[in-house]
Amino acid sequence: MSIIVMLIIYFLLGVFVIKLGIDNSRSTQLSKEILNELREIKELMIRNKYE
């Protein structure tokens, strides 16, 4: 009986860790996209400054 309970707990922890990893990778991807957009905006502002 205790083995079944331990397996269920390990399974739930595994699912939680995988979900956390997926959320982290999505967050990282969004951060990269935001940084790229900011770089483009900065470049456009520099171009407009010298025109």
Side-chain angles (χ1 to χ4, degrees):
M1 182 67 180
S2 64
I3 294 174
I4 295 172
V5 172
M6 286 175 54
L7 287 174
I8 291 172
I9 291 173
Y10 288 147
F11 176 75
L12 292 175
L13 285 174
V15 169
F16 177 73
V17 168
I18 290 171
K19 179 159 178 47
L20 186 65
I22 290 172
D23 288 344
N24 191 20
S25 66
R26 286 183 186 161
S27 175
T28 302
Q29 182 181 0
L30 287 174
S31 295
K32 287 180 182 179
E33 289 177 12
I34 290 170
L35 283 174
N36 284 334
E37 292 292 327
L38 287 173
R39 285 185 188 119
E40 290 176 12
I41 291 171
K42 181 181 175 185
E43 189 174 320
L44 287 172
M45 290 176 69
I46 290 172
R47 282 188 203 163
N48 287 337
K49 182 179 178 182
Y50 291 115
E51 287 182 356

